[in-house]
Amino acid sequence: MSYGGKVDVLRDVSLDVERGEVVGLIGPSGSGKSTILRTLVGLMKPRAGRVSVEGATVDYSSRGSLRVARDRFAIVFQQYNLFQNMTALRNVAIAPTLVKKRDRAQVDAEARALLARVGLAEKVNAYPDELSGGQQQRVAIARALALKPDILLLDEVTAALDPELVGEVLDTIRALQRDGMTMLIVSHEMGFIREVASRVAFLDQGSVVEVGPPAEIFDAPKSPRLRDFTSRILRH
Amino acid sequence: MWEQILEDAPRFFGPWNLLFLGEALVNTLLLSYLGAAMGFAIGFGLAIGRHPRLYGVLPLRIAATAYVEIFRRIPFLVKLMCVFFAFQLSGAQASLFTIALVTVVLSAAAFAAEIARAGIESVPAPQWDAAEAMNFSRWRVLTRVVAPQSWRVALPPLFGYAVGFIKSTSIASQIGVMELTYAAKILNTRGFSAALCFGTILIVYFLICWPTKRLGEKLEARLGHRAKA
């Protein structure tokens, strides 16, 4: 995949994800990890390449087809991006009611259940700025789950959090993994990736350099670039 | 001067003059509030038509931007004359009041477009990303996410300009629109002292402008609170 402009941000990215699988994306800053996720949800337009889900090609070319593409994926952002003008409950319930036109009472009940699942049953009526970063991020995860995506995309979801709040978000993701949620996780929490991911892809300069089970990637890296990356990470 | 004012006052505030001033007041209010309301609605439309993530296709963006940049830079009196002669040239029958109203609307639209643009741009891009990634249509991104968060930024200057337009309508007296300033001029030529005529409308202008400003502050406080709470 590549983009208009001077630099190809991504090229030679080839990655398969099985249903129920958790794949970790690691690599240095600017390697294109987040770009992959943003491309999948149609926030950036690929110039070439192909994405397919369950055999069907996802078409990013028009507004209409983009809607179909976006139904497949849900993304959780580093900065949570909760709608500031809505309560936690509305944040979670708005897309299913407004976009998917589902029954409001039913959606609200589901949204409450989702918020309870991420441990925020008491915060349904709180506005984002009344919540801690970790709480906001858990609302954002609930909001993404409410879309019932085929694949959940997590874009450095703990990177903006205070260290003491990281644990609660990681616990939430662990629970999702146990429930069989298919996830593509971009993260710098190497210990966590190693624990939840069934496979890890290492990206550098917009390309997938190496893919494999966590043990292989972290303990027996083949490519020199990955060796260099892991050694730098293990040093701190 | 005070003696003359006191002597003139009973005659000046007679029923005929009060009716006359009342009619002028209604015209000033219509020009200001109706003009500003219509202008702000159009200005909001212009802002939407200029925004690349909303409906800003290129020809529309160029046209809207040109309009906004030009109309914000022409003095009100010149705009008024342009509209006046445009109506004359086209041969369309329009009252002086209509001409003044059109000028206020055209003017308010340009200023409101700029304010609305600032309001829209005050909403951080990640809010748009989240809404778009969840398949919100452009209209819904605007109405559910962007507009509710823009009001806080847009409202105070909008009311500031509304007060400005109340004052600008006095310029419509130049083409003979029967609003407060023109009424004062007429009463003055009928022999009432200038201090009495213009002193009276000065107070009337203040009584219109001040509550408008207060309303803006109240709304601002309420919206600010709700957007935050």
Side-chain angles (χ1 to χ4, degrees), chain B residues 86-142:
Chain B
F87 268 105
Q88 272 205 337
L89 278 175
S90 72
Q93 291 294 317
S95 66
L96 292 173
F97 177 83
T98 309
I99 289 168
L101 184 65
V102 168
T103 312
V104 174
V105 171
L106 290 176
S107 203
F111 284 102
E114 227 11 46
I115 296 167
R117 186 178 65 87
I120 290 171
E121 279 174 6
S122 74
V123 180
Q127 293 280 308
W128 299 71
D129 290 347
E132 284 176 10
M134 294 201 301
N135 251 337
F136 280 42
S137 63
R138 281 176 289 183
W139 181 247
R140 272 168 178 158
V141 175
L142 176 70

Side-chain angles (χ1 to χ4, degrees), chain A residues 38 41 43 63 67 70-71 75 77 81-86 94-95 98-99 101 127 129-130 143 147, chain B residues 52-54 126-138 140 144-145 148-149 226-229:
Chain A
R38 291 177 68 84
V41 290
L43 289 173
R63 260 177 208 281
R67 296 180 72 82
R70 284 170 171 163
D71 270 344
I75 188 166
F77 300 92
N81 300 6
L82 293 179
F83 301 128
Q84 297 298 311
N85 55 320
M86 300 176 201
I94 187 163
L98 207 65
V99 180
K101 312 250 188 274
Y127 282 85
D129 63 1
E130 297 168 327
R143 179 172 74 169
L147 300 168
Chain B
R53 256 177 128 160
L54 292 167
Q127 293 280 308
W128 299 71
D129 290 347
E132 284 176 10
M134 294 201 301
N135 251 337
F136 280 42
S137 63
R138 281 176 289 183
R140 272 168 178 158
R144 302 303 177 111
V145 178
Q149 296 184 55
R226 214 177 46 189
K228 240 184 189 165

Side-chain angles (χ1 to χ4, degrees), chain A residues 76 114-120 134-135 137-143 145 152 154 157-158 161 165-181 183 185 192 195-196:
Chain A
V76 180
L114 281 170
L115 284 168
R117 188 167 155 198
V118 297
L120 292 171
Q135 291 171 332
Q137 196 57 292
R138 285 185 281 151
V139 174
I141 291 171
R143 179 172 74 169
L145 292 174
L152 184 63
L154 303 175
V157 294
T158 57
L161 298 176
L165 302 176
V166 169
E168 62 191 60
V169 173
L170 295 186
D171 285 342
T172 305
I173 301 169
R174 277 188 195 101
L176 293 177
Q177 181 227 11
R178 281 195 298 274
D179 294 346
M181 187 81 216
M183 288 185 276
I185 304 180
F192 178 69
E195 176 197 333
V196 297

Side-chain angles (χ1 to χ4, degrees), chain A residues 11-199:
Chain A
R11 60 198 130 74
D12 305 329
V13 173
S14 185
L15 194 62
D16 292 305
V17 182
E18 298 295 323
R19 177 178 287 281
E21 191 185 24
V22 175
V23 172
L25 293 178
I26 62 168
S29 303
S31 57
K33 313 178 293 288
S34 295
T35 307
I36 292 181
L37 301 193
R38 291 177 68 84
T39 305
L40 289 174
V41 290
L43 289 173
M44 297 174 112
K45 204 170 179 174
R47 211 164 56 197
R50 200 172 75 94
V51 174
S52 67
V53 180
E54 293 177 326
T57 301
V58 178
D59 179 3
Y60 289 95
S61 58
S62 73
R63 260 177 208 281
S65 60
L66 201 53
R67 296 180 72 82
V68 182
R70 284 170 171 163
D71 270 344
R72 297 286 197 169
F73 303 101
I75 188 166
V76 180
F77 300 92
Q78 179 176 346
Q79 296 288 350
Y80 347 123
N81 300 6
L82 293 179
F83 301 128
Q84 297 298 311
N85 55 320
M86 300 176 201
T87 61
L89 184 66
R90 288 262 63 76
N91 262 287
V92 177
I94 187 163
T97 42
L98 207 65
V99 180
K100 301 200 171 166
K101 312 250 188 274
R102 295 179 45 213
D103 175 63
R104 173 140 180 192
Q106 197 195 340
V107 170
D108 275 7
E110 276 181 31
R112 282 172 197 281
L114 281 170
L115 284 168
R117 188 167 155 198
V118 297
L120 292 171
E122 291 91 65
K123 298 289 185 184
V124 286
N125 292 320
Y127 282 85
D129 63 1
E130 297 168 327
L131 299 170
S132 72
Q135 291 171 332
Q136 288 190 58
Q137 196 57 292
R138 285 185 281 151
V139 174
I141 291 171
R143 179 172 74 169
L145 292 174
L147 300 168
K148 303 187 175 166
D150 293 331
I151 304 176
L152 184 63
L153 310 173
L154 303 175
D155 188 6
E156 308 221 25
V157 294
T158 57
L161 298 176
D162 291 336
E164 73 270 23
L165 302 176
V166 169
E168 62 191 60
V169 173
L170 295 186
D171 285 342
T172 305
I173 301 169
R174 277 188 195 101
L176 293 177
Q177 181 227 11
R178 281 195 298 274
D179 294 346
M181 187 81 216
T182 311
M183 288 185 276
L184 205 48
I185 304 180
V186 169
S187 181
H188 289 296
E189 302 276 341
M190 295 303 158
F192 178 69
I193 289 285
R194 189 182 189 124
E195 176 197 333
V196 297
S198 50
R199 279 184 308 139

Side-chain angles (χ1 to χ4, degrees), chain B:
Chain B
M1 190 178 82
W2 290 109
E3 276 166 29
Q4 162 123 51
I5 289 176
L6 286 173
E7 198 189 304
D8 275 359
R11 208 159 49 84
F12 182 80
F13 292 108
W16 191 88
N17 278 6
L18 284 182
L19 206 66
F20 185 66
L21 280 171
E23 200 186 318
L25 170 65
V26 169
N27 280 343
T28 289
L29 288 175
L30 278 176
L31 279 180
S32 316
Y33 289 133
L34 190 64
M38 285 162 61
F40 288 175
I42 295 171
F44 192 58
L46 285 170
I48 295 167
R50 279 174 84 185
H51 199 284
R53 256 177 128 160
L54 292 167
Y55 299 90
V57 288
L58 198 62
L60 194 61
R61 280 171 71 184
I62 293 171
T65 305
Y67 174 83
V68 170
E69 294 306 321
I70 291 167
F71 273 73
R72 278 166 62 225
R73 285 175 174 77
I74 306 175
F76 189 83
L77 181 59
V78 177
K79 274 182 283 203
L80 187 68
M81 292 305 173
C82 290
V83 174
F84 184 84
F85 289 116
F87 268 105
Q88 272 205 337
L89 278 175
S90 72
Q93 291 294 317
S95 66
L96 292 173
F97 177 83
T98 309
I99 289 168
L101 184 65
V102 168
T103 312
V104 174
V105 171
L106 290 176
S107 203
F111 284 102
E114 227 11 46
I115 296 167
R117 186 178 65 87
I120 290 171
E121 279 174 6
S122 74
V123 180
Q127 293 280 308
W128 299 71
D129 290 347
E132 284 176 10
M134 294 201 301
N135 251 337
F136 280 42
S137 63
R138 281 176 289 183
W139 181 247
R140 272 168 178 158
V141 175
L142 176 70
T143 55
R144 302 303 177 111
V145 178
V146 175
Q149 296 184 55
S150 307
W151 292 130
R152 263 193 304 172
V153 173
L155 215 61
L158 270 185
F159 271 86
Y161 276 110
V163 171
F165 287 125
I166 296 169
K167 293 183 285 183
S168 291
T169 58
S170 66
I171 296 171
S173 64
Q174 292 295 315
I175 58 167
V177 178
M178 184 52 72
E179 45 65 68
L180 280 173
T181 305
Y182 196 63
K185 268 204 234 170
I186 287 182
L187 291 175
N188 184 216
T189 56
R190 285 194 184 139
F192 295 104
S193 76
L196 194 58
C197 295
F198 290 101
T200 303
I201 64 160
L202 183 141
I203 292 166
V204 176
Y205 274 121
F206 176 79
L207 290 177
I208 308 170
C209 291
W210 194 71
T212 306
K213 179 177 152 279
R214 287 288 301 153
L215 178 68
E217 287 168 356
K218 280 222 172 99
L219 276 174
E220 186 191 340
R222 226 185 83 193
L223 280 174
H225 180 70
R226 214 177 46 189
K228 240 184 189 165

